[in-house]
C-alpha cells in the first residue's frame, strides 16, 4: 500500500510539473491585443463646428476628452493621424510661424502623423518654417515614405528644396517608426497618394509610386523589427490617399502590397462605419474635422499575423464634456 501511494504521488508530481512547464508556453501563444486610436483630416479645427442640424461637433478639447476616456479603458493604445492636420480654419494662419497644429497634437498624445496635401499650402518655405518651429516642442513623429524634395543635382532642386531637407532632418521626419507598447511592436509608415499629390501642385515634392514605396517600406520595417527586437510588428500605413465608394487608392494599395495589417485612410474625408477588408489588410476611416475618434482593436497571433477584432467610431459632439 505504501509503495502504491508513493507511486501515485510520483505520478501526480510529474503531472503538476508538466502543467507548470506548459503554462508559459500556452501564455506565449495567447493572442496579444492591440488598440489603435486614429484621426485624419483635422484641418486646423481646434474649435468645435456646427453641423447641418445646428449641433456641435469636433474641437480639440472634446477630442481630448474622448482620447482620455479611451486610454483609461486601453492604457496601451497608440494614437495616430493620417494627414491634413492643417488648413481649414483661421488657426491655419499660425501654421508657418507657430506650428500650432502639431503642438496641439503633441499635447493630446499623438504618437505619429504623416503629410497630407494641405501641409504644403504655404509652399516649401512655409513647410520648412513650420517644421523648424515644431522641432522645439513635444510633437508627434512624422512618417513619410514617398514624398520628398528633389535632391541637389536633380531637376527641381533649389534653395527652398534644401530648406525642406534641412527642416525634415531637424524635425526628425522618418520613413517609418518602430513603436513598442506592452510587448507589442508596431511598424508605422506614411504615404501620399496620387490624387493628394495632384491637389498640391506647388508642393515642390517628388511623388514616388505609392505601391512601390509601400512595399519597400514594409519590407524594410519588418526586417528591421525582426533584426533589432526579434519579433513581428503590426504594420500600419498612415495613407493620405483615400477610398471612393468602397474602392479607391487605398483599396488598390491593400490589393497590391503584402504585409500591411491596417490602413488609416485619409484625404477623401470618408467615414467608414464598417471597415473594408482586402485580403489580410483592413482599411479604416473616421471622417473629417475631428467628428469621430476611430478605435481599431486587433489581436496579434503567435505567427505574428494580426486580425481586426473590433472597430468603432466614437462621436465627438456636444454630449462630450
Amino acid at each position: 500500500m505504501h509503495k502504491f501511494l508513493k507511486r501515485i504521488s510520483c505520478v501526480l508530481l510529474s503531472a503538476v510539473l508538466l502543467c507548470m512547464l506548459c503554462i508559459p508556453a500556452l501564455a506565449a501563444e495567447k493572442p496579444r491585443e492591440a488598440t489603435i486610436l486614429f484621426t485624419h483630416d483635422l484641418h486646423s479645427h481646434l474649435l468645435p463646428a456646427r453641423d447641418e442640424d445646428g449641433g456641435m461637433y469636433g474641437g480639440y478639447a472634446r477630442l481630448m476628452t474622448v482620447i482620455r476616456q479611451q486610454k483609461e479603458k486601453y492604457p496601451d493604445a497608440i494614437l495616430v493621424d493620417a494627414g491634413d492636420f492643417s488648413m481649414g480654419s483661421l488657426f491655419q494662419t499660425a501654421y508657418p510661424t507657430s506650428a500650432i497644429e502639431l503642438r496641439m497634437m503633441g499635447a493630446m498624445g499623438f504618437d505619429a502623423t504623416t503629410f497630407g496635401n494641405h501641409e504644403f499650402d504655404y509652399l516649401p518655405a512655409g513647410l520648412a518654417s513650420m517644421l523648424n518651429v515644431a522641432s522645439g516642442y513635444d510633437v508627434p513623429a512624422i512618417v513619410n515614405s514617398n514624398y520628398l524634395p528633389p535632391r541637389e543635382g536633380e531637376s527641381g532642386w533649389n534653395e527652398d528644396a534644401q530648406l525642406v531637407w534641412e527642416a525634415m532632418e531637424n524635425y526628425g521626419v522618418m520613413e517609418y517608426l518602430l513603436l513598442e507598447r506592452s510587448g507589442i511592436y508596431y511598424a508605422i509608415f506614411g504615404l501620399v497618394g496620387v490624387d493628394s499629390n495632384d491637389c498640391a501642385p506647388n508642393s515642390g515634392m517628388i511623388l514616388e509610386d505609392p505601391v512601390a514605396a509601400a512595399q519597400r517600406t514594409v519590407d524594410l520595417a519588418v526586417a528591421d523589427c525582426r533584426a533589432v527586437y526579434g519579433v513581428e510588428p503590426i504594420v500600419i500605413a498612415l495613407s493620405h490617399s483615400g477610398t471612393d465608394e468602397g474602392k479607391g487608392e487605398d483599396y488598390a494599395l491593400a490589393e497590391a502590397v503584402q504585409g500591411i495589417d491596417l490602413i488609416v485612410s485619409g484625404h477623401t474625408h470618408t467615414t467608414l462605419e464598417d471597415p473594408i477588408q482586402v485580403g489580410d489588410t483592413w482599411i479604416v476611416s473616421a471622417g473629417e474635422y475631428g467628428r469621430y475618434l476611430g478605435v481599431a482593436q486587433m489581436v496579434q497571433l503567435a505567427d505574428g499575423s494580426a486580425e481586426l477584432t473590433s472597430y468603432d467610431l466614437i462621436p465627438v459632439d456636444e454630449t462630450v464634456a
Side-chain angles (χ1 to χ4, degrees):
M1 185 68 177
H2 178 72
K3 290 182 178 179
F4 176 75
L5 291 174
K6 186 174 182 181
R7 189 177 299 114
I8 290 294
S9 298
C10 289
V11 171
L12 290 173
L13 180 61
S14 299
V16 170
L17 289 172
L18 183 60
C19 288
M20 291 176 68
L21 289 171
C22 288
I23 286 172
L26 291 172
E29 294 175 2
K30 181 181 177 182
R32 294 178 294 174
E33 297 179 350
T35 301
I36 300 98
L37 310 178
F38 64 91
T39 61
H40 51 86
D41 299 287
L42 292 174
H43 285 294
S44 303
H45 274 59
L46 278 66
L47 296 179
R50 290 203 176 273
D51 62 23
E52 55 275 10
D53 298 320
M56 303 297 291
Y57 70 90
Y60 284 10
R62 287 189 171 118
L63 178 59
M64 185 71 243
T65 297
V66 176
I67 291 169
R68 283 176 172 161
Q69 290 170 346
Q70 291 304 302
K71 286 196 170 182
E72 285 175 4
K73 293 173 64 177
Y74 310 109
D76 299 321
I78 66 169
L79 176 60
V80 296
D81 176 83
D84 268 5
F85 50 80
S86 62
M87 306 300 139
S89 79
L90 284 176
F91 286 107
Q92 72 190 39
T93 59
Y95 170 86
T97 54
S98 75
I100 188 171
E101 295 90 354
L102 281 177
R103 288 167 61 189
M104 289 293 289
M105 291 170 73
M108 288 191 286
F110 277 84
D111 294 294
T113 186
T114 192
F115 293 133
N117 50 287
H118 282 287
E119 272 67 78
F120 302 93
D121 284 0
Y122 278 102
L123 307 181
L127 173 68
S129 174
M130 186 276 297
L131 290 174
N132 283 326
V133 171
S135 64
Y137 296 89
D138 184 11
V139 287
I142 295 178
V143 286
N144 170 34
S145 299
N146 72 323
Y147 209 52
L148 297 170
R151 298 182 184 275
E152 187 172 1
E154 293 180 342
S155 175
W157 182 87
N158 54 28
E159 183 178 335
D160 284 347
Q162 187 59 34
L163 288 175
V164 175
W165 276 116
E166 292 170 358
M168 288 173 60
E169 182 178 358
N170 191 28
Y171 187 99
V173 175
M174 60 190 75
E175 191 170 15
Y176 61 86
L177 170 69
L178 296 182
L179 183 65
E180 183 270 337
R181 289 286 164 79
S182 294
I184 296 179
Y185 286 82
Y186 301 88
I188 304 169
F189 70 102
L191 289 172
V192 170
V194 174
D195 186 72
S196 187
N197 173 56
D198 291 342
C199 291
N202 298 313
S203 70
M205 308 289 269
I206 296 174
L207 178 74
E208 180 185 355
D209 174 65
V211 168
Q215 191 64 71
R216 183 196 73 245
T217 307
V218 169
D219 294 344
L220 284 172
V222 170
D224 191 10
C225 196
R226 288 172 180 166
V228 176
Y229 302 108
V231 297
E232 297 288 325
I234 293 176
V235 179
I236 300 173
L238 305 181
S239 178
H240 204 75
S241 304
T243 59
D244 182 17
E245 297 182 352
K247 292 296 182 75
E249 287 189 52
D250 279 327
Y251 190 97
L253 182 74
E255 282 188 312
V257 178
Q258 298 298 311
I260 302 176
D261 296 306
L262 186 72
I263 297 175
V264 179
S265 178
H267 182 53
T268 50
H269 293 196
T270 304
T271 301
L272 287 176
E273 296 183 1
D274 297 304
I276 299 171
Q277 184 178 12
V278 185
D280 296 327
T281 303
W282 294 88
I283 304 170
V284 296
S285 291
E288 76 283 9
Y289 310 150
R291 286 179 180 269
Y292 300 97
L293 176 70
V295 184
Q297 293 186 290
M298 310 190 81
V299 293
Q300 188 175 34
L301 305 178
D303 63 0
S305 63
E307 296 179 356
L308 188 72
T309 57
S310 177
Y311 174 71
D312 196 13
L313 299 179
I314 301 175
V316 181
D317 56 26
E318 65 266 26
T319 66
V320 176

